[in-house]
Amino acid sequence: MRSRPQQPARRNAVLRREAVVAAVPVALAALLTAAGPATAAGTAGAPGAGDPYFPLSGNGGYDVRHYDLTLGYDPATRHLDGRAVVTARTTRPLTRFDLDLDGLKVTGVTVDHRRAAFHRTGQELVVTPRRPLRAGREFRVTVDYGGTPRPVTDPDGSPDGWIPTDDGAFVAGEPQGAMTWFPANGHPTDKASFDFTLTVPRGRTAVANGILLGQRSHHGRTTFRWRQSEPMAAYLATATVGTFRVERYTTRDGVEVYNAVDPREAAEAAPVLGKLPSVLDWESGLFGPYPFRAAGAVVDRAPRVGYALETQTRPLYDAAPDLGTLVHESAHQWFGDSVSLTRWQDIWLNEGFATYAEWLYTEQHGGRSARQAFEALYATPAGKDLWAFPPADPGGGEHIFETPVYARGAMALHKVRTAVGDRAFFRILRAWAGGHRHGHGTTAAFERLCERESGKDLSGVFRTWLHTGGKPASP
Ligand code: ZN
């Protein structure tokens, strides 16, 4: 949560670049759907998933089932060695297809164990198998690669991806950084299971998502094997490396907790991390069963990052979090991680919900009510950032982590709550998390659910609070 204030100069350069993209939506759409020369054997897979905010994120023509990533990282040289085995299924006949990979050097690609031709263009790794792939067929791509990973700078100016720290790397990928460290179908529409085999110098810890299968030291290096069995969007994957203190336990509900904490942050983090089981328990009571087998946290010291991320099962904190941030990233496990976005424009479904979870937590733990939080925000004068755009329409990738998405998104949920009453509202939250568990959602689907569960026409609420910019005339 909470991206830090932007640096205006950097931001302008980015806005100009985005403006060019925004000016050619038709051409762009054509580019993304036109799949290259068609032959009887098939067509080339599209270079993007068709998301106007991040046109080259993800790819067309296939669906990933599983990523098996074997990585070695040396913090001293910042060198990463990788082999990715991607198991996928074609959704149409393909003569070639793309994976997203930014930087790094690819040394070899195979498709179903045969050498395949490949080339790089921008963030696209274009793979041409020896023979075209039939529709609906499972195939396996192996990519060998290595080099010095570099984070991308997002349109909002934040670093995203493999971000070096003084003792390792803080590995966060929202919205587009997965491609800085593994070849990915980098859009949340495509979720897959993951295996990670991570080797680092002995004394360092490499933390990924899911369950720790094992750890073994040999010749001065330690290998950690992690498995994320529930489906995960590429941007929620991590392989964070550092000098960490590790704490492990199993909750009453049988969730395996693994916390990795930078010793410099440990004293400040301890009281907040100690509340993780009770926060997850409280959220399960409101949102329905916790969606994953594993949980935990990585508390790093990563001063240049400026944000925390809801990495699946194990949120990443750039410093010791406060309780509100822990509640926020934990709520994302339901809203954002289990229920994924279909397009980045709908980001309020992640951030508005996680912010509202913070309000609810405060309300139910002796603090100010959600209504008071709403009213305090409503007092913000017209013309301020809060009212800059409607939460369901940020207007571009450079705005997805701005105040209207978080705070106005939470306000919109509060308006739904007051319109339908508490019983229906909490039923809606559970139905949303349960009905789209390990799947996807859209703003339109959420609106339909609210009306179905409440039996009310909520079009006015949605129009005013989700789709119209400016400060609404009445609270
Ligand atoms: Zn968030």
Side-chain angles (χ1 to χ4, degrees):
M1 64 177 304
R2 291 163 196 152
S3 356
R4 65 226 144 121
Q6 305 304 332
Q7 290 162 304
R10 230 162 159 201
R11 174 91 182 272
N12 287 341
V14 165
L15 286 177
R16 271 197 301 280
R17 193 177 75 212
E18 288 293 308
V20 174
V21 172
V24 288
V26 177
L28 192 61
L31 175 79
L32 292 173
T33 44
T39 67
T43 53
D51 193 313
Y53 283 19
F54 296 93
L56 292 173
S57 289
N59 304 282
Y62 65 91
D63 189 39
V64 177
R65 295 296 165 91
H66 186 73
Y67 294 91
D68 190 341
L69 306 178
T70 304
L71 308 176
Y73 188 63
D74 181 0
T77 60
R78 297 190 173 179
H79 186 86
L80 177 78
D81 258 320
R83 163 169 280 195
V85 181
V86 183
T87 307
R89 182 179 288 267
T90 52
T91 54
R92 52 190 173 81
L94 289 176
T95 53
R96 57 168 221 230
F97 59 87
D98 287 17
L99 286 158
D100 300 327
L101 186 67
D102 187 61
L104 302 170
K105 185 176 166 53
V106 173
T107 51
V109 177
T110 67
V111 174
D112 292 333
H113 308 290
R114 292 162 176 236
R115 290 242 149 252
F118 64 91
H119 66 272
R120 310 286 302 273
T121 147
Q123 67 178 64
E124 303 298 311
L125 167 63
V126 183
V127 178
T128 307
R130 284 244 294 257
R131 285 203 227 119
L133 303 170
R134 281 178 289 110
R137 171 185 189 287
E138 189 160 290
F139 64 105
R140 178 179 289 200
V141 193
T142 301
V143 181
D144 287 307
Y145 61 101
T148 306
R150 304 206 190 280
V152 288
T153 301
D154 284 331
D156 73 350
S158 330
D160 176 9
W162 191 281
I163 306 165
T165 55
D166 60 2
D167 61 357
F170 181 96
V171 183
E174 190 184 25
Q176 48 177 349
M179 64 181 175
T180 68
W181 60 284
F182 68 96
N185 196 25
H187 191 271
T189 41
D190 193 358
K191 307 213 281 187
S193 54
F194 282 70
D195 276 302
F196 303 86
T197 304
L198 309 174
T199 301
V200 292
R202 192 175 192 144
R204 307 294 162 103
T205 300
V207 192
N209 316 82
I211 304 280
L212 180 65
L213 297 180
Q215 135 182 12
R216 203 182 178 141
S217 294
H218 191 62
H219 292 315
R221 306 209 296 168
T222 308
T223 298
F224 296 82
R225 289 189 306 121
W226 295 92
R227 172 164 296 164
Q228 169 58 56
S229 46
E230 300 94 354
M232 175 165 78
Y235 81 88
L236 296 169
T238 190
T240 292
V241 178
T243 303
F244 294 124
R245 278 188 206 158
V246 170
E247 170 192 33
R248 302 177 71 172
Y249 57 89
T250 304
T251 68
R252 279 193 293 138
D253 296 337
V255 175
E256 289 187 36
V257 177
Y258 184 107
N259 293 330
V261 180
D262 187 307
R264 296 166 292 184
E265 300 291 330
E268 207 185 324
V272 176
L273 284 192
K275 291 209 153 78
L276 180 63
S278 73
V279 167
L280 292 178
D281 205 45
W282 174 80
E283 291 181 339
S284 305
L286 279 186
F287 310 146
Y290 178 72
F292 308 113
R293 284 178 56 198
V298 181
V299 180
D300 205 346
R301 177 171 283 192
R304 62 177 281 219
V305 174
Y307 60 82
L309 181 66
E310 62 269 25
T311 25
Q312 189 156 303
T313 69
R314 193 158 292 115
L316 265 176
Y317 302 95
D318 58 332
D322 58 20
L323 184 56
T325 306
L326 185 91
V327 168
H328 180 108
E329 305 308 339
S330 299
H332 274 309
Q333 302 305 309
W334 285 261
F335 307 114
D337 292 9
S338 168
V339 183
S340 290
L341 297 177
T342 305
R343 51 175 197 173
W344 286 107
Q345 182 183 332
D346 290 334
I347 183 74
W348 83 278
L349 291 172
N350 294 7
E351 302 305 347
F353 281 58
T355 303
Y356 200 67
E358 292 180 68
W359 296 10
L360 288 171
Y361 188 89
T362 306
E363 172 173 285
Q364 296 189 15
H365 292 81
R368 75 174 181 179
S369 65
R371 177 177 165 181
Q372 288 168 322
F374 177 93
E375 283 170 354
L377 277 171
Y378 186 76
T380 306
K384 294 287 187 194
D385 283 356
L386 174 63
W387 312 114
F389 57 83
D393 192 8
E398 70 276 26
H399 301 303
I400 61 175
F401 300 120
E402 289 179 0
T403 314
V405 168
Y406 288 75
R408 242 200 108 169
M411 292 177 88
L413 279 178
H414 190 72
K415 289 301 294 184
V416 171
R417 179 179 172 191
T418 50
V420 305
D422 276 10
R423 275 176 64 107
F425 179 72
F426 290 108
R427 206 166 59 230
I428 288 165
L429 292 187
R430 277 190 298 276
W432 182 246
H436 299 265
R437 184 179 164 94
H438 298 150
H440 294 88
T442 60
T443 299
F446 180 68
E447 292 178 359
R448 284 195 299 274
L449 175 71
C450 291
E451 296 196 325
R452 196 162 64 232
E453 287 290 335
S454 67
K456 293 203 158 99
D457 174 3
L458 300 168
S459 53
V461 173
F462 297 140
R463 193 179 325 109
T464 305
W465 289 92
L466 282 177
H467 301 290
T468 307
K471 180 172 178 174
S474 60

